[in-house]
Amino acid sequence: VSADIGEAAMTHILIDGQSPKESRTLYACAFGKGVYKSVDGGKTWILKNRGIEGSEPFAWQIYKRDMDDALFLVVSRKSEDGSIGNENDGAVYKSVDGAENWTRISLPYGTNAPTSLVIDENNPGCLIMSAWGRVSPGQFSPDTGGGIFITGDEGKTWKQVMDKDQHIGAVTRDHRNNRLYACGFNSSAYFSEDRG
């Protein structure tokens, strides 16, 4: 069903559960191409990258906040050389019009590789983000910019709440008990029972 997208590495698909069953709205992340949208259950797809910076964006994950239908997109970092502040940075974007336009959300200082988001449906500004650390100069310097971060104002300010593991691949929430889980690259798993 992805003929309109062509050859691509699909990394995530989001089904809008509030769309009509006979013509579901779908969003797909195509690594190196960006975000595609379908309003007919996947029969046709249209690229929706307006506002996403750079060519060949590494679209990784897409999320929907049900309370206001806002979309959030995680774009992966393109480099592992420790650089920051260039076209290889990862990013987080928000759309309030069904992916027609995207606005970049500021990341924590020194962070350029978001890997996942948890959206707090009870607090519109609260996002919990995992990130992958970047190489620091010096042979024995630890990686920096990774871990888990929380914002209460959609990225205007961030607080790092976990930094002992600089390579967090994902954070997710168990909606039954509000427990958060995170998986790290360093043979690690974490949980939080106090919303991070």
Side-chain angles (χ1 to χ4, degrees):
V1 298
S2 59
D4 294 328
I5 299 173
E7 187 175 333
M10 308 309 291
T11 58
H12 195 227
I13 190 162
L14 173 70
I15 301 170
D16 184 345
Q18 296 174 335
S19 59
K21 289 184 180 180
E22 63 279 359
S23 58
R24 284 285 191 216
T25 297
L26 310 171
Y27 300 93
C29 292
F31 206 66
K33 289 189 173 187
V35 176
Y36 286 84
K37 180 179 181 178
S38 173
V39 293
D40 55 13
K43 294 183 184 113
T44 59
W45 294 89
I46 298 172
L47 186 64
K48 297 292 182 178
N49 282 353
R50 184 181 298 138
I52 299 174
E53 298 172 16
S55 62
E56 301 179 352
F58 283 9
W60 181 245
Q61 301 276 332
I62 191 166
Y63 307 86
K64 181 175 177 276
R65 186 168 58 199
D66 290 331
M67 69 171 57
D68 60 0
D69 294 332
L71 296 170
F72 294 86
L73 172 69
V74 172
V75 175
S76 289
R77 179 176 66 201
K78 291 184 178 181
S79 68
E80 287 298 324
D81 62 5
S83 63
I84 191 168
N86 57 45
E87 70 278 357
N88 293 321
D89 285 350
V92 174
Y93 291 90
K94 179 183 177 183
S95 175
V96 295
D97 56 9
E100 294 301 318
N101 296 281
W102 293 97
T103 303
R104 192 170 183 154
I105 293 175
S106 296
L107 294 179
Y109 178 78
T111 298
N112 71 345
T115 55
S116 71
L117 286 175
V118 169
I119 298 166
D120 188 339
E121 288 286 348
N122 299 315
N123 182 349
C126 183
L127 302 172
I128 301 165
M129 180 184 75
S130 62
W132 200 265
R134 56 192 179 81
V135 176
S136 295
Q139 183 178 1
F140 300 106
S141 299
D143 289 356
T144 61
I148 300 175
F149 301 84
I150 294 180
T151 179
D153 52 21
E154 282 192 5
K156 293 180 182 72
T157 59
W158 289 93
K159 176 182 179 185
Q160 187 164 32
V161 293
M162 206 275 282
D163 64 356
K164 63 184 172 184
D165 191 332
Q166 285 291 304
H167 303 102
I168 301 296
V171 174
T172 191
R173 171 185 285 129
D174 184 337
H175 292 282
R176 299 170 301 176
N177 56 20
N178 258 349
R179 180 182 277 191
L180 295 171
Y181 293 92
C183 57
F185 186 71
N186 301 326
S187 301
S188 54
Y190 306 93
F191 72 87
S192 171
E193 293 184 319
D194 59 5
R195 304 176 96 174

